[in-house]
Amino acid sequence: MPADPLHRAGNPQRSMTSPPPPGSGVSAVEVRRSARRRRTVSAYREGDRTVVLIPARMSEAEEQRWVNVMLDKLAAQESKRVLGDAELSERAERLSEQYFDGRARPASVRWVTNQNTRWGSCTPSEGSIRLSHRLQGMPEYVVDYVLVHELAHLLVPGHGSDFWRLLEAYPRTERARGYLEGVVAADRLPHLPAARDE
């Protein structure tokens, strides 16, 4: 039986881009199988898609398990990365293009340390957006949600139905809101005293 050209060394086999596992926060996952790859699995982000590289001989169950493991690893790495103000501005510009056709144009986007009861704020008359430093280290989709929320205020002040309709464009709105509600709820829990050494 002739060898399948897709399984020859050097020619990775691509699976179809598929929806990610529920709750992963990624819009698509592409698995690439390679006969040259024997044991290692790796993954990287390519835009809004995640590419996972696996050995060609892996079963579908192993593939799914490794996709989940690699998505978790990438999310953990990304949550440790802190964006500077310049990166935050670039990110806001990209999100405005992606979700609002570039109509939301902030004059400034920056981190602030004086917002302890809000995640972000916007002054439409100045075109300024400020994000609480408490968001630093949270998953990227959460930071993106807060940015999209504040960008939407440049187009629609207040929280009326037109505002929430704009936010429907961001696919992770509910997940990000749930994450932030969980953080708030955790802050309200009583803190147990540290156990004493006896």
Side-chain angles (χ1 to χ4, degrees), residues 19-177:
S24 68
V26 178
S27 63
V29 176
E30 179 181 325
V31 177
R32 295 181 187 169
R33 292 175 172 266
S34 171
R36 294 179 91 174
R37 190 174 283 270
R38 296 286 176 217
R39 283 188 257 193
T40 61
V41 176
S42 62
Y44 61 90
R45 301 277 195 222
E46 196 173 77
D48 210 22
R49 172 177 60 157
T50 301
V51 177
V52 180
L53 307 170
I54 64 170
R57 62 179 170 66
M58 264 191 192
S59 69
E60 285 187 33
E62 288 175 309
E63 173 184 318
Q64 190 56 56
R65 184 176 74 79
W66 276 106
V67 165
N68 289 330
V69 166
M70 298 313 288
L71 288 173
D72 288 346
K73 276 188 164 185
L74 284 173
Q77 289 170 355
E78 290 166 352
S79 71
K80 291 177 185 169
R81 194 172 151 260
V82 175
L83 302 173
D85 288 349
E87 290 174 300
L88 204 57
S89 290
E90 290 170 15
R91 191 174 202 130
E93 186 177 325
R94 180 181 54 79
L95 291 167
S96 176
E97 285 296 327
Q98 189 172 358
Y99 298 109
F100 305 128
D101 298 321
R103 294 178 296 132
R105 294 190 182 117
S108 68
V109 182
R110 62 190 174 91
W111 295 108
V112 294
T113 57
N114 63 350
Q115 289 190 78
N116 294 316
T117 58
R118 294 191 212 189
W119 297 113
S121 62
C122 174
T123 307
S125 61
E126 298 173 3
S128 63
I129 292 175
R130 294 158 307 281
L131 266 57
S132 171
H133 71 286
R134 295 177 305 138
L135 289 165
Q136 293 175 336
M138 289 189 187
E140 288 188 1
Y141 75 91
V142 175
V143 176
D144 284 354
Y145 163 73
V146 177
L147 275 172
V148 168
H149 183 107
E150 300 309 333
L151 286 166
H153 279 308
L154 293 175
L155 303 174
V156 178
H159 291 100
S161 59
D162 289 343
F163 173 82
W164 292 110
R165 229 181 332 276
L166 273 178
L167 276 189
E168 288 174 3
Y170 185 65
R172 298 179 199 130
T173 292
E174 288 306 312
R175 185 164 189 249
R177 285 173 58 96

